[in-house]
Amino acid sequence: MNQPERSRLYETSQDFFEMHGSALMTLTVDAAIRVCLQAAQHGLVVVRVEGGTWHAPGFEARVDCIWDGAEPPVDDSAAHRNNLEAAEFIAGERFIHTAFVVTAPPLSGWPHKSSAGRTDSHD
């Protein structure tokens, strides 16, 4: 598996899904919208979108362009609605912000929070 390059602006949603680019990959406006529209089909829910400006190379995040979505676990229907809202947010920012970072964990929840990895005990 290839790792996303932080100094590159990605133009396709395919790259995002193939490289597991969640929270790592800077996307063009159109690619970010496509990621949001396709995420549920890949078993992902968009939990955060961060917008900003692309300076070749490099991403300047803007605190005035953050969208927070549902926290997993969520079902397919809730993820689909949530991800549509994320895509609408990006579309509304397209003339102000030129690049986006999308964070999208599995519908079932964050892998690092899975019960298999927990060491806490309940009495």
Side-chain angles (χ1 to χ4, degrees), residues 3-10 21-26 50 54-55 57-59 101:
Q3 292 288 1
E5 295 176 37
R6 297 290 222 151
S7 62
R8 179 176 170 199
L9 181 63
Y10 288 87
S22 177
L24 301 172
M25 185 178 278
T26 306
E50 297 170 81
W54 180 252
H55 302 285
F59 176 65
V101 174

Side-chain angles (χ1 to χ4, degrees), residues 22-108:
S22 177
L24 301 172
M25 185 178 278
T26 306
L27 302 161
T28 64
V29 173
D30 290 336
I33 289 171
R34 285 191 302 273
V35 164
C36 293
L37 294 176
Q38 298 168 3
Q41 297 167 1
H42 289 269
L44 303 174
V45 60
V46 178
V47 297
R48 176 167 272 197
V49 173
E50 297 170 81
T53 304
W54 180 252
H55 302 285
F59 176 65
E60 177 188 343
R62 299 292 309 232
V63 296
D64 63 342
C65 188
I66 297 173
W67 179 89
D68 287 318
E71 275 295 318
V74 296
D75 64 28
D76 291 339
S77 177
H80 178 71
R81 285 190 310 275
N82 176 81
N83 297 352
L84 284 176
E85 288 180 26
E88 290 170 5
F89 171 78
I90 295 167
E93 295 289 327
R94 78 177 311 129
F95 299 108
I96 302 166
H97 299 95
T98 60
F100 292 84
V101 174
V102 176
T103 303
L107 298 176
S108 59

